[in-house]
Amino acid sequence: MPGTGTLINTAAVIAGGIAGHFTGRFFKEEQQDAICKVCGISVLFIAIAGAMEGMLQISMDEAGKGASIISGRSMFIVLCLSIGTVIGELLRIEDGFERFGAWLKIKTGNAKDARFVDAFVTSSLTVCIGAMAIVGAIQDGVMGDYSTLAVKSVLDFIIIMVMTSSMGKGCAFSAIPIFVFEGGITLLSTLIAPLMTPAAIANLSLVGSILIFCVGVNLVWGRKVRVANMLPAVLLAVLAAYLPSM
């Protein structure tokens, strides 16, 4: 049934939040901070792996005997991120995330939780950005295949459990944007599927990985980057796949 993957992913995030809430009680504040930083470092390396996959290529010499690794697509990354960030700053996307988080904080009775909004925004960006969410939701809607989202659900459960144990219960509410984002793509999958060519998916994965890297930076060093305002870069990356030069 279309939408099964979204329901599984949403349930996994909620379960991860509940598990993290109870396990977090056993850690002192400095231990929670250490867990948060470890989570951030893990996110950094996951993002680096995804970005390098899109930037690095193996080049053979003319004789076909030797191989070397070359990097590229630097200008593509600079243009997507810079233009996308300008658009995001003008639209004030991050402020919208924070306002919604502040509203949730009050409505859920967590007004005294000083880290609720930060936990909600950071965790939402971590689990929503990436090719797996979009491609998996399209597969779920078009073919009824939720296997990609099922794998993502396992990863999200672990990530949200660790983040909740260190940042607080606000992380569990990232289930809301997951449900809306993946559910919306599943509903519109017949329209979106033709747009997601291999080149578009590659661009999405590359730029999405860089945004996830920025999320990791915020986890390790505190709120340094307004990642939500960079989200239009992902859309620009997909659109760039249809330019003749790309």
Side-chain angles (χ1 to χ4, degrees):
M1 181 184 72
T4 301
T6 297
L7 295 176
I8 292 174
N9 203 174
T10 302
V13 170
I14 295 173
I18 293 173
H21 174 66
F22 286 106
T23 57
R25 295 180 177 181
F26 298 102
F27 301 108
K28 298 179 181 179
E29 185 175 347
E30 61 270 21
Q31 293 171 331
Q32 292 178 349
D33 182 65
I35 293 173
C36 183
K37 285 182 168 56
V38 167
C39 184
I41 292 171
S42 301
V43 171
L44 286 174
F45 275 94
I46 291 171
I48 290 171
M52 291 299 97
E53 184 178 355
M55 293 183 67
L56 301 181
Q57 296 179 349
I58 297 178
S59 176
M60 302 292 295
D61 61 20
E62 294 182 359
K65 296 181 179 180
S68 60
I69 298 177
I70 59 175
S71 64
R73 313 197 73 188
S74 299
M75 186 57 66
F76 166 76
I77 293 171
V78 170
L79 289 174
C80 284
L81 292 180
S82 58
I83 297 174
T85 301
V86 169
I87 295 173
E89 288 288 342
L90 292 174
L91 295 177
R92 302 175 68 87
I93 297 175
E94 181 116 352
D95 291 343
F97 264 93
E98 291 179 352
R99 284 195 297 270
F100 181 63
W103 179 82
L104 272 179
K105 176 180 177 179
I106 296 173
K107 294 297 182 179
T108 56
N110 292 289
K112 295 182 179 180
D113 187 349
R115 301 194 66 186
F116 185 94
V117 176
D118 185 36
F120 169 74
V121 174
T122 302
S123 59
S124 295
L125 293 172
T126 302
V127 297
C128 286
I129 299 174
M132 287 186 76
I134 296 177
V135 175
I138 291 174
Q139 291 174 337
D140 191 11
V142 175
M143 299 177 289
D145 179 10
Y146 56 84
S147 58
T148 299
L149 289 183
V151 173
K152 180 178 180 293
S153 298
V154 176
L155 299 175
D156 288 350
F157 172 83
I158 298 172
I159 291 172
I160 294 300
M161 181 176 66
V162 174
M163 293 180 72
T164 302
S165 66
S166 61
M167 299 182 70
K169 64 181 73 173
C171 297
F173 289 89
S174 59
I176 297 174
I178 274 283
F179 180 80
V180 174
F181 181 66
E182 292 180 353
I185 291 176
T186 297
L187 290 174
L188 298 173
S189 57
T190 55
L191 300 176
I192 298 174
L195 302 177
M196 299 309 295
T197 62
I201 293 174
N203 288 355
L204 168 68
S205 180
L206 173 57
V207 175
S209 293
I210 295 173
L211 265 61
I212 293 174
F213 179 89
C214 296
V215 172
V217 169
N218 286 346
L219 285 171
V220 177
W221 290 285
R223 202 75 169 273
K224 302 292 184 182
V225 186
R226 293 168 61 85
V227 183
N229 286 345
M230 300 169 67
L231 287 174
V234 176
L235 177 60
L236 293 178
V238 173
L239 295 176
Y242 303 97
L243 297 177
S245 60
M246 299 302 292

